[in-house]
Amino acid sequence: MDAVVRKQQGISVLYYAGRVLLIALPMLALTYAIFSDALAPTLPSLPLTFTILPFVIWTALRFGQREVIALNALVCIIAVWHTIAGRGPFASAPLGTSLLLLLAFLGTVVSTGLVLNTVVGERGRAFEALAQALKTLKEEAIRDPLTNLYNRRFLRDYLPRELLRAAREGIRVAVIMIDLDRFKRVNDTAGHAAGDLVLTEIATLLKRHIRGTDIACRYGGEEFTLVLPNATPQSARS
């Protein structure tokens, strides 16, 4: 099992690395071509600098922060290196203008990539938190807060479906109702805290002795219900 998991993790890493390379190689190649004046004889290089932005946006939307920072840093290094060497779309301008254009380009690349990536990350975390909150609310809606057993609401939804499934598949379902005798006396004599303790202990015993496919519910008050799919009368009694 561990070998299978490691293999799947390795495949996932390779797939992710392939996706990064698929966008990184053309992005860096385009940056190099623009700032090395490789396209200068046929195309004006200054307008072509804007063609790098779609790659920056795409990486920000699709990859993690480390990948975005690394790719943006490589783009900036290529741009700075060639501009200092007197090549690229900014080199032909006067020194002050050239530096200003270079800084504007670097700022646009870095800010666009990081801001978009941060927004996407925050949105992803917000969706995860919302999904977890909805899952928690859904679970709380079908659980008894005292015993953590399923409650009557869950039973009303689950039992008809389980009975239909049993009838369709031709299997038996045992339903056991449990009512604690003289439970009111416990509350009256020892207090409600003691009564709650009795209920939680009963719930613990039920969970300990049922199968993984069985369902234990607190029906209400001191009443409990067990649903035992595919159980014979003998196994249900035991």
Side-chain angles (χ1 to χ4, degrees), residues 3 6 16 25 63 70 81 85-86 118 166 169-170 173 176 179 191 236:
R6 285 195 297 269
Y16 185 77
L25 292 178
F63 301 118
W81 177 265
T118 301
E169 298 179 5
V173 177
I176 302 175
D179 189 1

Side-chain angles (χ1 to χ4, degrees), residues 22-45:
L22 190 63
I23 191 70
L25 292 178
M27 178 181 179
L28 297 177
L30 178 62
T31 305
Y32 183 86
I34 292 172
F35 281 90
S36 66
D37 287 335
L39 302 176
T42 55
L43 295 171
S45 56

Side-chain angles (χ1 to χ4, degrees), residues 177-229:
M177 296 294 296
I178 302 172
D179 189 1
L180 303 183
D181 293 335
R182 294 181 290 277
F183 179 75
K184 186 175 183 301
R185 186 181 301 175
V186 175
N187 282 334
D188 293 341
T189 57
H192 288 281
D196 290 346
L197 181 60
V198 171
L199 293 175
T200 55
E201 288 297 323
I202 294 295
T204 300
L205 287 173
L206 292 177
K207 287 186 285 188
R208 186 181 301 162
H209 289 90
I210 61 176
R211 302 168 301 174
T213 56
D214 300 336
I215 296 295
C217 303
R218 184 185 178 193
Y219 193 75
E222 68 274 19
E223 297 175 327
F224 297 86
T225 304
L226 299 179
V227 182
L228 315 177

